[in-house]
Amino acid sequence: MNGFVGLLKIDLPARTVRLCDGGFITHDSGLYTDKDSVLGAIAGIESLSEGGGGELPAMDITFNPPAPLAFSELTSGALQRSEVRLWLAEYNRETNAIVGTPD
């Protein structure tokens, strides 16, 4: 039986964060897990809003950092221009393997 999983990849200045919305799964040679040591877990993702003219689409992602110290790292100006990618993928629940190509 197959299920769906959200995959979030953030290219921070010092490292790459790969999160999913539960458990763990491998995609594009990277391991996506449900928690990160600094960002914590994904607490919520608001729906994507379309941009107009020269404006990019926008989305709010909320994290649940594991410690107060992580909050200061999250608000660092160095993180503001980090590339963020989000996919929705179908996966096999028995093998945790991605089925097809994520959107």
Side-chain angles (χ1 to χ4, degrees):
M1 177 175 239
N2 292 344
F4 289 97
V5 64
L7 304 171
L8 178 69
K9 182 177 180 182
I10 306 172
D11 292 321
L12 299 176
R15 66 192 180 94
T16 299
V17 175
R18 292 177 181 90
L19 293 169
C20 65
D21 59 354
F24 65 93
I25 199 155
T26 301
H27 168 61
D28 199 23
S29 301
L31 179 64
Y32 289 74
T33 60
D34 62 345
K35 293 179 189 163
D36 177 71
S37 61
V38 175
L39 297 179
I42 299 170
I45 298 177
E46 291 187 16
S47 60
L48 182 68
S49 64
E50 292 296 325
E55 186 178 298
L56 293 172
M59 171 188 294
D60 288 327
I61 302 171
T62 305
F63 297 98
N64 187 12
L69 177 62
F71 182 76
S72 64
E73 291 184 54
L74 286 173
T75 58
S76 162
L79 304 181
Q80 299 303 315
R81 300 247 181 233
S82 297
E83 184 175 356
V84 177
R85 286 166 278 181
L86 178 67
W87 296 271
L88 180 61
E90 184 177 2
Y91 74 103
N92 181 303
R93 290 183 181 183
E94 293 178 10
T95 65
N96 268 14
I98 297 288
V99 176
T101 302
D103 292 327

